[in-house]
Amino acid sequence: MSDSIKHECGIALIRLRKPFQHYLDKYKTPTYGLSKLYLMMEKQVNRGQDGAGVANIKINVKPGHRYISRYRSVEPQAVADIFGKINKKFSKAQKLAKQVTKETGIDAVHDAEWWQENVAFTGEVLLGHLRYGTHGQNEIENCHPMLRQNNWRSRNLVMAGNFNMTNVDDLFNKLVSLGQHPKEKVDTVTVMEKIGHFLDEENQRQFGKYKDQYENPELSDIIAQEIDLKRVLERSCKDFDGGYAMVGMTGYGASFVARDPAGIRPAFYYVDEEVAVVASEKQAIKTSFNCAYDQIKEITPGHALIIDIQGEVKEVPFIDRLEQKSCSFERIYFSRGSDPDIYHERKKLGQLLIPQILEEVHHDLKNTVFSYIPNTAETAFLGMIDGLEDHLAKERKKAIMEGILFEKELEELLTFRPRVEKLISKDVKVRTFITSDDQRDDMVAHVYDTTYEVINKEVDSVVIIDDSIVRGTTLEKSILKLLDKLSPKKIVIVSSAPQIRYPDCYGIDMSKMKEFVAFRAALALLKERGLEHILDEVNLRCLNALENGTAAEENFVKAIYAPFTDEEISDKIAEIVRPKGLKAELSIVYQTVANLNVACPDHLGDWYFTGNFPTPGGNQVVNKSFVNFMKGIEVRAY
């Protein structure tokens, strides 16, 4: 992707539904669950390479034995680092088990109770998290899972998630009003503390209900059996505004995954006799457990999947649903394209661009070469080629039906195939979005290489498809300069996504408006046409709304783009990203929002392109982001 952006995170939850001894007997290893968790995390490593974490809960170990284990890492290969440490622990334990067996005659190697009492990460509930550090420092303290500890098992809470909240200040103030003293004003802390508060209250409610009927320690077991996690989520999440798929494990062994009411962030699950699992992507579940795709279900927006202490699974509503606006960027870029639905959607995105592309090359396919920017645009490229083949088939039929061709012309039309070449190659393994902003310009100039002697100089047009164009940096600094060395007559850059015009606030690293090349294009057009007063008018409306507490009601920034057509914005973007000295003609073609929704009909979350935010907090964020831009302040607006 030429202007790579960061996704917030990936989640993986596994609940072993049978006693630990079952897996030890059947699979001849105490690491069955860990092996599956490792595979699920590796299959989602595209979602987070700034850090990772793993946590584990043992359900029925005796007092005096540790029952929560956690490792986190910010090493370059964080998942491998974590599981490498865990594997070393198990290798030592395996030797110890053999020694105990030899000395005592007790078969410790095959005894689940021995493993759970003596070795960490031998619990029935396993949680994995992959992190992209979209905000804040890339430090281990920022890695999930987060842990809220207490001597009462049922008050312990381990949490991880793929989420961003738009109303962090409100949530922080709510915690303060409840009598808490949060250590940080970040959504990870506020979310965990808010859920933790109501988990404490639920514990207290059950304690009050049963304290006269049971004595400790039996009372503790009764409380764990009776805790209503649905009630906890109903009370704690009612003030949340954002996109989220949050995973929680309680110290007593129950767990939950709560999905936001608009279904912004993805969450899928699979259940059989042995396991209940949840992941951000279906492909991770499919690969890890070899199940059929139709056995993998989507957690309903506004619902939580709750797995109780016995391993029973139920999906329950905990908040009123909103209109479903699942993130379309999941389909365009973030999720693995090996998911069959996503694969077909990405191909459709490429196919639907054909009319615009043909117009840009004046229907001269004989002198046009098609290619793509690796690696995520490859599927859209295949769809684009399919679309070209469909177009040629229609042209052949039309020519034959009209009967106006001579034999030579007919033969040329029947045998013609689109010219396809791999013009752009990744020259290094480092992706540009792993670098910091101040390093990006230096990095992007060296990431790509090109193939020579396949273009007819000053005759051919070159069409290159990418999955999205966000900042335009890579085009200007690298791609266009490389392509121009081939001496094409014209370069057409095609984006399978529409123009990104607005910041995201639900989990993607797109928070600074001035970074969007579409926004910079609109600013340039306003200046050229003497419409700069619109900026002041929008700024005033945003300021008044923020002051009056009504900024969540409307996205005023839409007015910036209103005077211009999509084509005018695209043409101005082409001017902005055009490097000095470029000899070829240059055009930029973007997917239309209408065609995006045709290709991805079940994922209509298109706020980055349209400004139609699915929650009130989104409007507040975009209005505040614009005010920050006008003030020259480069800070997160949520």
Side-chain angles (χ1 to χ4, degrees), residues 133-293:
T134 56
H135 301 285
Q137 297 298 312
N138 190 28
E139 298 173 349
I140 200 163
E141 289 79 9
N142 296 321
C143 281
H144 300 195
M146 298 294 186
L147 179 57
R148 192 175 191 265
Q149 293 181 291
N150 194 286
N151 272 346
W152 287 69
R153 286 188 63 151
S154 53
R155 291 175 184 257
N156 281 276
L157 180 64
V158 184
M159 281 199 67
N162 171 11
F163 64 86
N164 264 353
M165 298 300 169
T166 68
N167 59 336
V168 176
D169 289 342
D170 292 340
L171 294 175
F172 178 86
N173 293 333
K174 185 71 173 179
L175 287 175
V176 173
S177 71
L178 291 170
Q180 292 195 23
H181 189 94
K183 62 181 180 180
E184 292 182 75
K185 190 188 286 189
V186 295
D187 51 8
T188 301
V189 172
T190 52
V191 164
M192 184 175 69
E193 290 299 332
K194 198 156 187 285
I195 294 175
H197 170 83
F198 287 105
L199 179 62
D200 286 345
E201 285 206 348
E202 177 65 12
N203 270 271
Q204 196 61 40
R205 186 173 78 96
Q206 298 298 344
F207 176 81
K209 183 176 179 180
Y210 292 107
K211 66 180 180 179
D212 295 331
Q213 301 178 43
Y214 301 94
E215 297 290 335
N216 285 328
E218 187 181 9
L219 178 58
S220 296
D221 295 333
I222 295 298
I223 291 173
Q225 293 280 352
E226 295 298 320
I227 282 178
D228 186 349
L229 286 178
K230 178 177 185 289
R231 186 172 188 269
V232 172
L233 292 171
E234 286 174 340
R235 301 184 72 200
S236 57
C237 299
K238 62 183 179 181
D239 300 320
F240 291 173
D241 187 301
Y244 54 86
M246 299 183 298
V247 188
M249 302 190 301
T250 62
Y252 65 90
S255 55
F256 64 84
V257 182
R259 191 178 183 203
D260 68 82
I264 296 169
R265 299 264 64 87
F268 302 92
Y269 70 98
Y270 164 73
V271 180
D272 63 22
E273 292 183 354
E274 290 190 323
V275 297
V277 298
V278 182
S280 296
E281 298 188 28
K282 288 194 291 184
Q283 184 65 19
I285 299 174
K286 164 67 177 174
T287 302
S288 302
F289 294 91
N290 196 31
C291 55
Y293 270 107

Side-chain angles (χ1 to χ4, degrees), residues 433-446:
F433 56 80
I434 293 175
T435 67
S436 61
D437 289 344
D438 58 356
Q439 295 174 308
R440 183 177 286 115
D441 286 359
D442 289 336
M443 178 64 70
V444 297
H446 304 287

